[in-house]
Amino acid sequence: MFGFLNLNKPAGYTSHDCINELRKRLRLKRIGHGGTLDPMATGVLPIALGSATRLLPYLCNRKVYIGTVRFGITTTTDDITGNICQERAADHLTLAAIQEHLPRFIGQIEQLPPAYSAIQVGGQRLYARARAGEVVSAPPRTVEIYAIEVLDWQAGSYPELSLRISCGSGTYIRALARDLGAALGVGGTLATLQRIESGGLRIEQSHSLEMISPEHLPLHPPQEVLAHLPWQELDEAQLQDWYQGRAVVCAGLPSAQKVVGVTFAGTAVGIALRGGDRLHPKVVLKN
C-alpha cells in the first residue's frame, strides 16, 4: 500500500478519527493525513499510505473551501458548534455592505487563530487549555488568501453568506468568519464548511470512509498528487547512487526549481534538492 487516498471526511469525525478508522480497515499502521479538518467540516482530506507519508510535507499548500458565515452571532469556537457569546439581530446587513469589506481579507493578512485550535502554546494544545477554562491565545500569524467569491446570500435576522475561498496552508476559515463579522460590527460565526480541494486533490474524485477497504483502495501515485513539482526519471545506475544517498547527475533539470520529485520505472523513489546539474537526496523511498 503506497500512494495517496482522496478521502471525503464526514462531519463529526476528527482527522485523527479518520486515520484510526483507516488503520483498522486496511490493517496498516503507517498512515498520515495532509491538513487537519475540524470535526464539523467535511471534504477533501489527503491521506498518505505506507512510505508516502514521508511526502506529506511536499503537498501543494493551496486549499479551496466553501463556507457559510452566519452574521449576528459570535461563539467560543468561532463556528456553530461553540457556545454563543453574543447574539444580535443583523437584518439591516446588506450584501453590498459586505462586499465592500471583502478585499481587506485578500492577500497576505494577519490572522489570530481561534481559541479552540490545535496550535500549541506553552506545550499544550489551545483547545485543551480553552476546555480547561483558561483564556489563552496564540500570536497572530501571517496567512494568504488568494481569492474570495460570493456564492449565495440569504437575508434575515441572522443572514448567511456562502463563500468560495482559495487560500494557503494555515488559514482558518473560522477566523475569517469571525473577523468579517467583527469588521461589519455585527459579529459572525462559521455555520458550514466543506473543503473542495487540498494537496492537489479535488472533491469530485474523493471517496467516502465507508467505501474504503483492502479490496477497494483507489490510490493516486505521488507524481499525480505532487504534480506541482517537476519529476525526474532515473536509470538503473543512477538508482544505485540514489539509494546509497549520493547525488545523481541529471540533464535538462528545471533552472529555477529547487525541489524535484524522483522516479524509477515510473514509481516515485523520493524527493531531491537540486544543486546545479545534480540532484541531492532529501527523501529516499524504498517501497
Side-chain angles (χ1 to χ4, degrees):
M1 295 183 184
F2 171 69
F4 288 88
L5 177 66
N6 184 354
L7 182 68
N8 189 341
K9 189 192 85 67
Y13 278 66
T14 66
S15 298
H16 194 64
D17 289 339
C18 294
I19 294 297
N20 286 338
E21 181 63 25
L22 287 170
R23 283 175 177 155
K24 294 176 186 176
R25 287 172 175 264
L26 302 177
R27 298 184 292 278
L28 180 67
K29 290 185 177 181
R30 199 171 183 185
I31 303 179
H33 67 79
T36 301
L37 273 178
D38 293 331
M40 69 161 281
T42 64
V44 175
L45 181 64
I47 302 289
L49 303 184
S51 60
T53 55
R54 299 183 64 195
L55 302 177
L56 285 170
Y58 301 94
L59 290 177
C60 174
N61 67 7
R62 180 177 181 269
K63 305 175 192 297
V64 183
Y65 297 88
I66 292 178
T68 302
V69 182
R70 184 174 298 170
F71 295 101
I73 297 174
T74 61
T75 66
T76 53
T77 59
D78 297 329
D79 64 31
I80 206 63
T81 67
N83 296 324
I84 294 177
C85 299
Q86 192 172 25
E87 190 172 0
R88 68 179 82 173
D91 48 2
H92 64 282
L93 199 59
T94 65
L95 178 58
I98 295 171
Q99 288 176 317
E100 288 182 7
H101 286 269
L102 291 180
R104 65 184 286 189
F105 296 99
I106 299 174
Q108 288 193 345
I109 63 172
E110 290 290 305
Q111 192 178 70
L112 185 68
Y116 284 77
S117 63
I119 295 172
Q120 288 197 10
V121 174
Q124 286 185 293
R125 302 288 187 185
L126 272 186
Y127 62 74
R129 301 183 69 167
R131 287 170 185 164
E134 295 186 54
V135 179
V136 182
S137 61
R141 53 170 56 186
T142 300
V143 300
E144 188 165 11
I145 298 179
Y146 307 123
I148 300 176
E149 177 187 356
V150 174
L151 300 180
D152 191 34
W153 165 249
Q154 297 291 329
S157 297
Y158 301 97
E160 293 189 345
L161 177 71
S162 293
L163 299 170
R164 185 181 189 274
I165 302 123
S166 174
C167 59
S169 295
T171 304
Y172 281 95
I173 308 303
R174 286 184 286 149
L176 174 62
R178 175 200 66 206
D179 295 344
L180 179 58
L184 292 161
V186 298
T189 196
L190 189 65
T192 66
L193 184 65
Q194 180 189 41
R195 188 157 67 190
I196 62 173
E197 185 178 334
S198 178
L201 300 173
R202 299 175 181 273
I203 192 70
E204 294 84 4
Q205 289 80 41
S206 65
H207 299 269
S208 68
L209 197 56
E210 294 76 15
M211 293 174 60
I212 305 304
S213 69
E215 296 74 32
H216 180 75
L217 192 57
L219 293 180
H220 299 263
Q223 304 94 296
E224 180 183 332
V225 179
L226 278 65
H228 59 290
L229 298 179
W231 286 83
Q232 184 74 29
E233 176 78 7
L234 303 183
D235 58 31
E236 288 191 22
Q238 291 171 323
L239 184 67
Q240 296 307 310
D241 285 334
W242 177 260
Y243 280 147
Q244 294 299 319
R246 295 191 291 266
V248 295
V249 179
C250 296
L253 294 174
S255 58
Q257 187 66 48
K258 297 300 183 183
V259 180
V260 179
V262 179
T263 61
F264 174 73
T267 299
V269 294
I271 298 291
L273 297 181
R274 178 182 178 275
D277 62 349
R278 295 175 180 270
L279 294 178
H280 300 268
K282 176 67 174 177
V283 176
V284 177
L285 304 178
K286 294 184 179 181
N287 303 314

